[in-house]
Amino acid sequence: MISLKELKKGLLTSLWFVFLTFPIMVIKVDPFERTITWRWHNAVYMAIGTFCIFFIMKFYMQRKEMKKDTQKDSNDSILQKTLLDTRKRNIFIGTVLAVALLFPQFVSSYQTNVMTTALMYVVLGLGLNIVVGLAGLLDLGFVAFYAVGAYSYALLNLHFGLGFWTVLPIGGLMAAFFGIMLGFPVLRLRGDYLAIVTLGFGEIIRLILENWGTFSQGPSGISNIPRPSLFGLDLSLGQAINYTYYLMIVFVIITIFVVNRLQDSRLGRAWIALREDEIACQAMGIDKRKTKLVAFSLGAFWAGAVGVIFAAKTTFINPASFTFLESAIILSIVVLGGMGSIIGVIFGALILILMPEYLRALSEYRMLAFGAILVCMMIFRPQGLISNIRRTYKFDKTNLKTTPK
Amino acid sequence: MMNKPILNVSNLTMDFGGIRALDSLDLDVNSGEIVALIGPNGAGKTTFFNCITGIYTPTAGDVFVTPPDSNKQINLKGLKPNQVTEKGLARTFQNIRLFEKMTVLENVMIGRHCRTKAFIFGAILRNAATRKEERSILEFSYHVLEKVGLADFANEFADNLPYGAQRRLEIARALATEPLLLLLDEPAAGMNPQETMDLDVLIKEISREGQSILLIEHDMKLVMSLSDRIFVMDYGKKIAQGTPAEIRNNSAVIKAYLGEEVNA
């Protein structure tokens, strides 16, 4: 049962929280009346609440420890187990695809639009997953590549009248080029230092777009960007929304296909080795410089391509769409979903983008809930929703068979 | 074949600020030999390894490698670690540095990286050439795992292996690069007597297949049992070289390890 020592610790924790929240929970200043109200009852609630939560947490942690001892693969979630079974996996993928294809027929165009946004974040997450999840390079300025893609389309369309389909690959390649530009100076950096520099890079791109008016039309942004075209057909607004949605579905499938193949390749293994141990990785004959640059540019490519789609979808872009918050959300998607895991990133994106949308009822507390969920994730499932499963190989003496998992 | 030198280190010097960690060191390894590098703690043995494998750039001196099929010497000085590995020196680490969240087999497959080519488009298109290459990587890696006796653990995560097995996996990973010379940095460190004995057998087996080996080791029993020749270092300088029997009776070596006898 609860020992005296734990009781003391719980009391101290609650006291500490009362102290921390004192200014916002207890003191209420009315600047007009020039009065201060002391709401002592709030401090009491805070103390009791923290005290209870302390013991609930303690209980959970203990149970988790016990589980770890008894059961080896307790970190496999139910979803993960489903995915390991080939037959179940095919049914699962089939169902998801069917739902995805029929989705716009049953819901309003608003819902379709929201879902398209979520799918865009799936691709962004998968792109960043290459950089952060596989190669282990913490990138806090990923939104810069997204901006590069979006502005590529907006500006090329504005000045040269290039269409969506022409710019889609160009936007991706432009972003990949910027990825290499960022990659070169940060080759030697790791961890926190890399994070700081990439953060700076993201801000630089945004500030350039905001202040170089003659180039990017500044904070007022660029409007009247054409939507994606379909063999020159004239689409109504509703049709255009559905079309963008299906376009995004196809794009997501292509991304999953490519990223999946990349991570099981020689290159993918080199990325993971780089993440695990940079020195050993070099000593085993992997060119660190090349591997890092490829990770940066391939990650950026997807962001650039999605940027083009984003510009086409919203028909208006300005620098305010590319703030640090976007980078943070994309990074949260990767971390929440599980670093290096494709399925994890997809779920991460859907949860993080759709949840705030449907939590609008709680509007003011939305970010609070968002934060709380992330904190809980870090405590209870630090490896993410779905931890990465490495491909395994089965060996016959005569015939090598590989079984992807 | 036997006495052809494959590694020639001459006049190797490494300064860290005002400290001379390596002082004009000469060392050579012949093809097929097991050579040991010993010395008290802090003598500069690991620094020597780091210098010849490109992790540090030596202040002065040269490191030459001679591939067996040619007589041309290649200077490794100033090359990056991955280039050195490509030229044929593969190493293990004193503190185990495995890729923990990769499977045992994948760890070895990483060793094949510098002998294969597939890149972005190969990975995405997965064409015939790439599939063939992947297959050859798999077969080679599995074969190496069999050799060190880890084939049964192929799909385990590397950090789930017992300590001795992790050490052997490091050796397997280095062997997968098909090195001219295998560099082992204290392979028996922290092993129990049984594991050390297994290691002794393993190294002899690898050596019998013609693999040249340079190892740093503190376990004297293992060193004496394995090596053809021994180099002894102290304070960054070479103080002795010779066969195990010669080293055992060398007064300079005894002095370095045990201190000088005081004459009253």
Side-chain angles (χ1 to χ4, degrees), chain A residues 261 265-266 269-270 272-273 276-277 280 282-287 294 390 392-393 395 397 400 402, chain B residues 82 85 91 97 100-102 105-106 109-110 113 116-119 123-126 134 139 142 146 155:
Chain A
R261 284 211 156 174
S265 70
R266 171 176 175 269
R269 285 194 298 271
I272 297 169
E276 292 292 309
D277 191 323
Q282 272 188 295
M284 286 304 117
I286 291 170
D287 189 341
V294 169
R390 290 307 302 162
T392 56
Y393 302 89
F395 289 92
K397 284 288 162 204
L400 280 168
T402 62
Chain B
N82 56 303
T85 309
R91 68 172 294 177
R97 281 177 170 273
E100 293 176 351
K101 292 286 170 235
M102 296 175 87
L105 185 67
E106 279 179 318
M109 286 164 88
I110 287 292
H113 190 93
T116 45
K117 286 198 286 295
F119 212 53
I124 296 171
L125 301 176
R126 216 173 264 181
E134 271 300 287
E139 277 167 341
Y142 192 71
E146 275 180 330
N155 288 324

Side-chain angles (χ1 to χ4, degrees), chain A residues 55-65 380:
Chain A
F55 283 103
I56 293 170
M57 284 268 291
K58 193 118 196 149
F59 173 70
Y60 259 106
M61 291 304 210
Q62 257 167 6
R63 222 180 55 170
K64 207 172 148 196
E65 282 297 308
F380 296 112

